[in-house]
Every structure is written in C-alpha cells, then in structure tokens.
C-alpha cells in the first residue's frame, strides 16, 4: 500500500512538472484552434512558428505520463476511459447483429493528441490515385502532386532502409518506423508471395496494392502522437505565443452580424468563458465533434438547425452528412506453433520479464508495438484502387481477455460466444484465438450521418454509419473472408508450417441452409452479424464545390468568414488506408496556406 501511495505521489509530481497546458486564458488571440488532436496539434505548432498569438483548446486532459498512451501494446485499454469520448452508434438495421441492440462503440481520443493518442499507430498514405480522385470530385489543389510535399514535410523516417527514400522525409516532426515482423507476419507475407501477389518494399510509394508490413508512428518503442511530435518539444520556448488549455469544451462559435467568426464560447470548470479571435478560428474537433460544433453554432442543414431551435447562420446541407468508415469483419485462427516472440496468455513469467526488460532498457520487443502486424491491399474486378484490406491481428487471446476486453469493446451480446468459450476451455487450453485476419472495405458505398441529439444537443450526437446498407460493401467483405482470399492464404505452405486451424465463433449462423463454411448466405450472415469499425471515420464536412460541400479548397467554411475546418471530416471520400497520415498532411497543408494568406512572419 505504501509503495502504491509513493508511486502515485511521484506520478502526480512528474505529471504536474511536465505539463504544457495552462489554467489562465487571455481574452483575445489571433488564432483559436478547437481540438488538440492529430491535425489540431499540427496547426497550433506551425502557426506558433510565426508572429501571432495562438490558443489551442482540448476537451480532454493532457497526455503526459500516461502509460496506456505511450506504451503501444496497451493502446486498446484506453477504450471507455476518460481518454475516450466513448461514442456509440445508432442501432444498425443491416449490420452489427451480434452486438447488444445492434449498437457499436466508436472510440475517439479525448486527450491531447486526440485519436493519435489511442490508435494503433498505423502510418499509411493510401494511393496516389486516392488524392487524384479527390481533385476530380471537386477538391481543387488536393491531387497527389499537391499533397505529397506535405506528407514529406511531416515525416521523420527513422528506419535506415527508408530514411533516404524519395518517398519519405527525414527532417519532419513525426517519427515513423517500420514494424518488426513476428513469425505469423512473416508467414502472411510468404503466403501472399505464394499466391502471386506482390510483396511491397514500401507501400507508401507509388505502389499501394500488395502484401506488406506496417510502418508506424513510434520511436524507440514509444508512441509518437501529435502532442509528442508537434507540441511538447516547443511548448515551453513558445509559451508567450502558444497557449494550450485542456479540460475545456467548446460549446459554439460566435459570429457577428456580417457572419464573421469572432469568438468561441467554452465550458471550463463549470464556467462559461468567451475567447475572441482577431484573425481565424480553425475547427479540428474531429469527424464527430466538428459537424456537431458547426451545427451548434448555426452552420448546417436548415431542417436540423430548426428542429433543435438553433439560429441559422449558414444553411449548409452537407454538414454531418457523407459519413464514411472502413467497415470490417474478422476471421480467427488457432496455431500450435506460435513463436515465443509473441506475448501470449501461455507466456511464462521469465519471458514476460525479459520482454519488459528489453522494452524499458532498449525500447525493443512486442511491448513496443500494437497487435497489428502486416496487411494486404487487394484489388477486385480490375478496379483501379484496392477495394479490400486484410489486416493481420497477431495477438493470442484467452477467454478471460476476450470476454473482458475484446467482447466488451465490441459490445457483443453475452450469449453469442457461450459455445465458443466452452470450446476454447475444452479444446484449446482456454485460448480463443492465436491471430485474426480482418477484412475491411476501403471505399464504402454505404454512407451515414451525424445529427444532433434532440434531447441534448451538446451531448453525444446521433452517429449512424448505416453499415452495409449498400450490398456492394457486404459483397467485398464476403469475398475477402471466403474462398477468394483468406481460405487460399490458409492453404499456403507458409501457413501449414504453423499448423493453423480456423476457429469458428459464429454459431448463430449455423442454421443457414446448406451447412458449409463457404456457403455465401452463411458468410453474409457472418458479415452482417460480426460488423466492426476500423476506427477510420471521415468525410462529414467535405471539401468541394457541389451543394453538399462544406469547405472550399482552402478549407474555409462556406457562407461565413474566418472559419476553417482541418481534420478528417474534410475528406471528400475515403482513401485506401487508415486516415492518420492524411490528417497530419492536412495540418501541414492548411497551416502553410494560412501563413501565406495572412503574410505571417516566421520568428522560429
């Protein structure tokens, strides 16, 4: 007990003395950035290089001395904590049938660094064609050649193999490394090669279809979130012109009679405070928070604003619409020959201690990585872009961990896995699965929305991704987990060496006529029952010049002045990868534009 008290005391002292936030808020700033997440931290850092006064407002707490944030292997434990907004979707009529009330949790980072503080650290840009298609859809100035320099600007590639590559930067603020593959990941790449797929040397190049290991935002085994990369190394030297406040929730943006954004109203310690901006307000509150804040401020669909008795400043029907996500379904496997390199429930104490030693002293080993190991981006039907992405989840899980973390995190109904738990106890020494292959839809046709909660507009909004309402999305999931891909991978020589068997959890689909794992109706039952998010939402305040566009090519909000949006909500449509790298790029690009537009003078 005394040791715990001393440790807690030391923790408090260290946290206090490494804080970059402040309590006092001045009345006026040049720029106010709402949201200290992936993109917001970039914008705050870059603007504070100039002769302006910047305020960064974060609703969550700081990220310093938070082991669940800094240690990659522990990232999943942040869900449902005070570092997570703990959003839940609306009931899904065409998906999530294994979840309580057909409702799926949507974790989002509520902490300095935002979702970059709790995600799985995957760094992938997508394909060059993704951004060329943005331009074609109306996002002028966002073609691949336009955005590529800003990817490079953000990067500090520390992998020796890639540090001098023309496709990577080595002078940026964000440390990026290559993940060391464990034996399951190596078998996955060998399987792809056996099947005739290209094994990519670098998927962040001009090639983006094939099998590859992941690049991740880590340095010496520790997470690189946007706060670590962009804020902490400069916060003290810029304390005169960069003010960071946390535990402060912005309620609305205020406009004058000319529809110029002049201030924000925020709630801190139960007190409402108004802070003025002389130049601009930039919303980086995320795919959910940004459209909610726009609507609360009177910018959004006319019917939605009137329904919630909000004064209309600008009728923009696209606010909160066009919601897209990489929806996924997993298949699970048990292997007897999983290497000792992987920490499993069967790992002996010496192995765990050795892993802890290597991590703390050298920053090496499995603790310094998340469970995502390797992936494959696959084209179907001669498409120009990959349509499926298989991700290898290489982390053996027993029944206890599955019940208390995996099942809870997905909001599974208790009864769904009763038979599977019994099988694991009896046949696999309590191991539910050794690894999983997750198939996700990269370019979804099903489109959802974010709407205000009529009972509490300032509370969690109504999130309806409308998963699998378009049959084409379900068909892509079925292709990936069925005979056309996963089954072929498991039959390769590479996986035979691991003595792998598929583990079937979905007994609620057993009554499908013509009992057969590869019966299409049974597979469809699976994908509509076991539907997950890959935590990649986007597109709720899109760039463009059509009637559903919310921001122009410079990310300025239509119908008002001195208000911009900078986060994943501005995507016109989804890309062929996780969105993290693109969010960093957006921050770099919009900051550069703001500095030029306002003729800011660099002081750093």
């Amino acid at each position: 007990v005394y040791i715990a008290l001393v440790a807690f005391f030391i923790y408090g002292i260290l946290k206090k003395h490494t804080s970059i936030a402040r309590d006092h808020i001045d009345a006026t700033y040049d720029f106010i950035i709402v949201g200290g997440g992936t993109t917001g931290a970039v914008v705050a850092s870059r603007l504070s290089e100039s002769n302006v006064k910047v305020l960064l407002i974060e609703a969550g707490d700081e990220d310093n001395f938070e082991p669940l944030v800094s240690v990659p292997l522990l990232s999943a434990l942040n869900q449902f904590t005070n570092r997570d907004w703990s959003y839940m979707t609306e009931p899904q009529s065409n998906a999530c049938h294994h979840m309580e009330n057909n409702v799926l949790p949507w974790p989002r980072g509520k902490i300095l660094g935002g979702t970059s503080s709790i995600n799985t650290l995957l760094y992938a840009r997508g394909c060059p064609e993704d951004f060329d298609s943005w331009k074609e859809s109306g996002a002028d100035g966002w073609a691949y050649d336009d955005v590529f320099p800003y990817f490079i600007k953000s990067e500090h590639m520390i992998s020796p193999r890639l540090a001098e590559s023309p496709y990577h930067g080595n002078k940026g603020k964000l440390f990026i490394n290559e993940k060391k593959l464990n034996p399951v990941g190596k078998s996955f790449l060998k399987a792809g090669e056996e099947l005739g797929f290209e094994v990519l040397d670098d998927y962040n190049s001009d090639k983006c279809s094939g099998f590859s290991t992941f690049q991740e935002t880590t340095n010496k085994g520790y997470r690189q979130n946007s706060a670590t990369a962009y804020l902490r190394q400069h916060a003290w030297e810029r304390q005169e012109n960069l003010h960071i406040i946390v535990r402060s929730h912005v309620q609305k943006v205020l406009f004058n009679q000319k529809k110029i954004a002049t201030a924000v109203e925020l709630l801190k310690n139960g007190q409402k405070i108004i802070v003025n901006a002389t130049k601009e307000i930039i919303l980086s509150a995320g795919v959910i928070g940004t459209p909610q804040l726009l609507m609360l401020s009177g910018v959004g669909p006319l019917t939605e604003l009137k329904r919630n008795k909000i004064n209309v400043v600008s009728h923009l029907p696209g606010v909160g619409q066009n919601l897209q996500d990489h929806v996924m379904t997993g298949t699970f496997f048990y292997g007897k020959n999983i290497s000792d390199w992987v920490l499993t429930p069967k790992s002996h104490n010496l192995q765990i201690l050795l892993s802890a030693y290597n991590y703390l002293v050298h920053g090496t080993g499995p603790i310094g990585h998340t469970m995502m190991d390797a992936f494959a981006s696959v084209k179907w039907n001669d498409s120009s872009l990959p349509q499926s992405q298989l991700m290898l989840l290489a982390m053996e899980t027993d029944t206890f961990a599955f019940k208390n973390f995996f099942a809870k995190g997905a909001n599974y109904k208790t009864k769904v896995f009763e038979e599977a738990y019994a099988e694991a106890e009896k046949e696999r020494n309590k191991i539910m699965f050794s690894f999983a292959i997750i198939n996700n839809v990269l370019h979804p046709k099903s489109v959802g929305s974010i709407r205000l909660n009529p009972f509490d507009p300032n509370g969690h909004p109504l999130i309806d991704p409308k998963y699998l309402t378009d049959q084409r999305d379900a068909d892509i999931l079925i292709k990936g987990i069925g005979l056309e891909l996963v089954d072929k991978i498991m039959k390769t020589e590479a996986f035979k060496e691991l003595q792998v068997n598929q583990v079937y959890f979905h007994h609620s689909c057993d009554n499908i006529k013509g009992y057969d794992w590869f019966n299409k109706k049974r597979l469809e039952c699976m994908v509509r029952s076991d539907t997950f998010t890959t935590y990649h939402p986007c597109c709720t305040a899109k760039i463009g010049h059509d009637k559903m566009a919310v921001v122009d090519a410079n990310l300025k909000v239509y119908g008002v002045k001195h208000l911009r949006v900078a986060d994943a909500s501005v995507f016109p449509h989804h890309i062929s990868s996780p969105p993290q790298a693109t969010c960093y790029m957006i921050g770099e690009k919009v900051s550069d534009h703001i500095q030029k537009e306002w003729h800011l003078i660099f002081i750093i």
Side-chain angles (χ1 to χ4, degrees):
V1 173
Y2 290 115
I3 293 173
L5 288 172
V6 170
F8 185 75
F9 177 76
I10 293 173
Y11 167 83
I13 294 293
L14 291 172
K15 191 169 179 67
K16 179 180 179 180
H17 286 281
T18 58
S19 173
I20 59 174
R22 57 193 285 138
D23 292 324
H24 175 73
I25 309 171
D26 291 349
T28 303
Y29 293 84
D30 294 304
F31 293 93
I32 296 175
I33 298 110
V34 181
T38 310
T39 309
V42 178
V43 178
S45 175
R46 291 304 187 188
L47 293 185
S48 66
E49 294 173 346
S50 310
N51 60 330
V52 291
K53 190 175 175 183
V54 177
L55 174 66
L56 177 64
I57 306 171
E58 169 56 39
D61 209 334
E62 284 196 77
D63 63 316
N64 56 327
F65 281 91
E66 293 286 354
L68 297 187
V69 170
S70 59
V71 180
L73 188 65
L74 305 179
S75 62
L77 301 181
N78 287 292
Q79 191 174 359
F80 300 125
T81 69
N82 62 352
R83 295 172 289 280
D84 175 17
W85 280 97
S86 300
Y87 292 120
M88 304 291 279
T89 70
E90 291 295 283
Q92 299 298 290
S93 57
N94 296 285
C96 304
H97 296 160
H98 276 168
M99 286 69 181
E100 292 287 353
N101 302 315
N102 293 18
V103 167
L104 191 66
W106 263 33
R108 297 280 90 196
K110 187 181 181 181
I111 186 172
L112 204 59
T115 302
S116 75
S117 294
I118 68 171
N119 65 9
T120 51
L121 306 111
L122 306 181
Y123 184 86
R125 300 182 198 137
C127 302
E129 294 86 353
D130 284 318
F131 300 99
D132 291 340
S133 72
W134 279 19
K135 181 180 179 180
E136 291 167 7
S137 69
D140 301 326
W142 291 84
Y144 181 68
D145 287 344
D146 299 316
V147 302
F148 178 73
Y150 295 102
F151 281 116
I152 296 297
K153 183 179 180 181
S154 70
E155 287 187 22
H156 188 145
M157 174 58 74
I158 55 179
S159 168
R161 190 179 70 85
L162 298 175
E164 301 302 323
S165 165
Y167 294 106
H168 291 283
N170 56 19
K171 297 179 181 178
K173 295 180 181 292
L174 180 67
F175 285 98
I176 301 162
N177 209 341
E178 285 188 283
K179 183 167 186 177
K180 181 180 178 181
L181 282 178
N182 64 38
V184 184
K186 292 176 181 177
S187 294
F188 185 78
L189 297 190
K190 287 179 182 177
E193 193 170 26
E194 276 188 55
L195 295 174
F197 290 95
E198 185 172 2
V199 176
L200 303 176
D201 288 329
D202 180 8
Y203 62 85
N204 281 321
S205 63
D206 57 346
K207 294 181 178 179
C208 62
S209 295
F211 281 59
S212 183
T213 183
F214 275 114
Q215 294 165 27
E216 56 185 9
T217 50
T218 59
N219 182 27
K220 298 179 180 177
Y222 290 91
R223 174 187 296 274
Q224 287 283 293
N225 63 0
S226 63
T228 303
Y230 280 86
L231 297 176
R232 292 203 166 275
Q233 57 182 316
H234 304 299
W236 289 284
E237 67 189 59
R238 300 182 193 176
Q239 56 187 323
E240 294 301 317
N241 74 317
L242 174 58
H243 293 182
I244 300 168
I245 61 170
V246 295
R247 301 184 298 279
S248 304
H249 193 181
V250 174
Q251 305 292 289
K252 65 173 77 171
V253 177
L254 303 178
F255 300 89
N256 65 16
Q257 292 182 339
K258 295 181 180 180
K259 298 185 179 181
I260 298 173
T262 59
V264 297
E265 180 185 291
L266 61 89
L267 192 65
K268 185 173 178 64
N269 298 325
Q271 180 183 2
K272 284 188 178 180
I273 302 171
I274 292 177
V275 189
N276 300 292
T278 61
K279 287 184 168 59
E280 282 192 25
I281 296 168
I282 299 104
L283 301 185
S284 296
V287 174
I288 300 167
T290 287
Q292 180 187 24
L293 189 51
L294 284 169
M295 288 185 279
L296 289 172
S297 306
V299 179
L302 189 65
T303 53
E304 185 72 10
L305 300 180
K306 287 186 173 181
R307 183 185 300 120
N308 290 280
K309 300 180 180 178
I310 297 171
N311 291 330
V312 179
V313 177
S314 178
H315 167 53
L316 289 181
V319 173
Q321 304 303 304
N322 194 41
L323 175 62
Q324 299 174 33
D325 187 24
H326 288 157
V327 62
M328 70 179 186
T329 294
T331 45
F332 301 87
F333 302 89
Y334 175 69
K336 296 179 180 178
N337 292 343
I338 301 300
S339 166
D340 284 346
W341 193 90
V342 184
L343 283 181
T344 80
K346 295 183 290 187
S347 298
H348 49 76
N349 292 336
L350 183 59
Q351 182 188 348
I352 295 171
L353 288 172
L354 183 61
S355 294
Y357 171 82
N358 286 332
Y359 178 68
L360 293 171
V361 176
H362 304 293
T364 59
I367 297 174
H369 303 280
T370 62
M371 57 196 80
M372 293 298 180
D373 206 54
F375 74 98
S377 294
V378 180
K379 295 180 179 180
W380 300 112
N381 303 324
D382 299 318
S383 59
S384 59
L385 288 167
Q387 299 299 310
S388 281
Q389 189 172 76
L390 300 187
M391 295 189 290
L392 179 67
L393 179 76
M395 185 176 185
E396 193 163 72
T397 303
D398 65 5
T399 51
F400 176 83
F402 192 95
K403 287 178 184 179
N404 291 282
F405 298 106
F406 193 88
K408 181 183 176 184
N411 196 34
Y412 272 126
K413 297 174 183 176
T414 303
K415 66 179 182 180
V416 167
F417 290 111
E418 286 177 349
E419 288 185 59
Y421 293 143
E423 289 173 4
E425 298 273 347
K426 182 180 178 181
E427 300 174 11
R428 297 189 299 276
N429 194 26
K430 299 184 179 181
I431 298 299
M432 285 292 282
F433 66 91
S434 300
F435 64 91
I437 295 179
I438 296 164
N439 179 31
N440 74 82
V441 180
L442 291 177
H443 301 283
K445 307 301 181 185
S446 305
V447 176
S449 65
I450 305 288
R451 294 182 296 118
L452 296 178
N453 187 329
F455 299 103
D456 182 10
N458 286 291
H460 285 185
L462 306 181
I463 302 167
D464 188 2
K466 296 191 184 298
Y467 286 137
L468 306 186
T469 51
D470 192 304
Q471 181 63 39
R472 288 173 290 182
D473 294 343
D475 289 342
I476 286 175
L477 290 179
I478 290 167
K479 277 177 177 284
I481 66 172
L483 283 167
E484 296 187 52
L485 196 51
V486 169
D487 182 59
K488 290 181 179 178
I489 290 172
M490 288 302 108
K491 289 179 178 176
T492 59
E493 293 299 319
F495 270 97
K496 285 179 183 178
E497 295 174 4
L498 295 177
Q499 299 181 33
V500 168
N501 293 305
Q502 187 162 348
V503 179
Y504 180 60
F505 295 156
H506 314 280
H507 295 289
S508 61
C509 297
D510 286 352
N511 60 355
I512 298 296
K513 187 176 179 181
Y515 183 92
D516 176 7
W517 167 257
F518 297 110
N519 179 302
K520 185 177 179 182
K521 288 185 178 179
R522 189 182 191 207
L523 290 174
E524 179 141 6
C525 174
M526 269 186 57
V527 303
R528 293 192 183 277
S529 298
D530 240 22
T531 323
F532 300 93
T533 172
T534 48
Y535 317 113
H536 299 163
C538 71
C539 312
T540 52
K542 73 170 190 170
I543 310 172
H545 41 68
D546 60 277
K547 67 178 183 179
M548 296 302 286
V550 176
V551 298
D552 66 15
N554 296 320
L555 307 190
K556 294 180 179 180
V557 177
Y558 285 118
V560 297
K561 295 179 180 179
H562 295 186
L563 181 66
R564 294 188 209 237
V565 173
D567 55 38
S569 60
V570 304
F571 288 24
H573 48 256
H574 226 317
I575 57 176
S576 306
S577 72
Q580 175 177 223
T582 301
C583 289
Y584 281 108
M585 175 274 289
I586 289 171
E588 293 282 11
K589 191 173 190 297
V590 74
S591 299
D592 188 45
H593 185 84
I594 292 170
Q595 288 166 336
K596 291 175 181 176
E597 183 175 321
W598 287 96
H599 306 291
L600 303 185
I601 299 170
F602 285 89
I603 59 175
I604 293 173

